Amino acid sequence: MKLIFLIFAMAVAAMGPSRDGPLPETGADRDSVPQRNPARLPPISAQDDATENAPAEQLRIMDAASAEPADFLWNARPVVVFADTPGDPAFVEQVEALRRDARQLVDRDVVVITDSDPSAASIWRQDLRPRGFSLVLIDKDGQVKIRRPSPWDVREIGRAIDRLPLRRQEIGRGRPLR
């Protein structure tokens, strides 16, 4: 009988504390912090994301004319999407995919730059020299890491970012994802 009780007590102790109890307080009043449901976020538009007051959990999508590459050095990873026209099916598909899975990109400090006007000759277009549709991933150090001539799934983009040395350092240092 003692043996059964001892085995039962060890099994209960191995399960750890109950997770149904209240969460530990972090010092901040939890009621004063607004809770957001990512599934209820409004659709992201390029005009909304250009503001500096955008919440941290939203993906920033900016037009190439309003963004300078130096602005993102050591702060963000630009993913630049080029096309010859805004109606290019590959361009539309890529931008929709980036908006659909925005959370994965925000966690990796990604900023999306769109350029669908070759006649504007943006600094992005001058530096990267795309032909037709092109997806370019630039790391925080300003170096081009990946070029793709066709749309890429956000999962693939995220996996490519996670293999970058700077991203591995971020993860290794225990930098919390937002």
Side-chain angles (χ1 to χ4, degrees), residues 27-157:
D29 184 13
R30 291 167 38 105
D31 295 332
S32 67
V33 178
Q35 300 296 320
R36 295 186 58 117
N37 181 355
R40 292 185 164 185
L41 290 176
I44 300 169
S45 68
Q47 295 82 15
D48 295 338
D49 294 324
T51 64
E52 288 191 26
N53 296 331
E57 67 264 3
Q58 286 189 352
L59 179 64
R60 291 188 296 165
I61 300 178
M62 305 174 75
D63 187 64
S66 64
E68 293 287 325
D71 295 342
F72 305 110
L73 195 60
W74 302 111
N75 295 318
R77 291 180 178 88
V79 170
V80 189
V81 184
F82 292 103
D84 289 341
T85 65
D88 182 340
F91 180 79
V92 172
E93 178 185 342
Q94 184 66 67
V95 172
E96 286 177 0
L98 294 171
R99 285 183 175 158
R100 188 174 43 251
D101 295 325
R103 183 67 196 169
Q104 293 180 36
L105 299 172
V106 171
D107 290 344
R108 291 167 176 88
D109 298 329
V110 169
V111 173
V112 176
I113 309 296
T114 59
D115 187 342
S116 59
D117 184 12
S119 63
S122 71
I123 191 164
W124 298 93
R125 197 170 281 274
Q126 292 172 20
D127 289 347
L128 301 173
R129 300 175 191 256
R131 293 182 186 164
F133 176 85
S134 182
L135 173 75
V136 181
L137 170 64
I138 302 171
D139 204 3
K140 288 183 174 183
D141 60 2
Q143 294 182 8
V144 173
K145 298 300 180 181
I146 296 172
R147 288 179 181 266
R148 292 289 178 253
S150 60
W152 228 22
D153 186 65
V154 171
R155 181 173 168 223
E156 294 169 322
I157 295 170

Side-chain angles (χ1 to χ4, degrees), residues 17-24 30:
S18 170
R19 299 185 194 237
D20 295 333
L23 295 173
R30 291 167 38 105

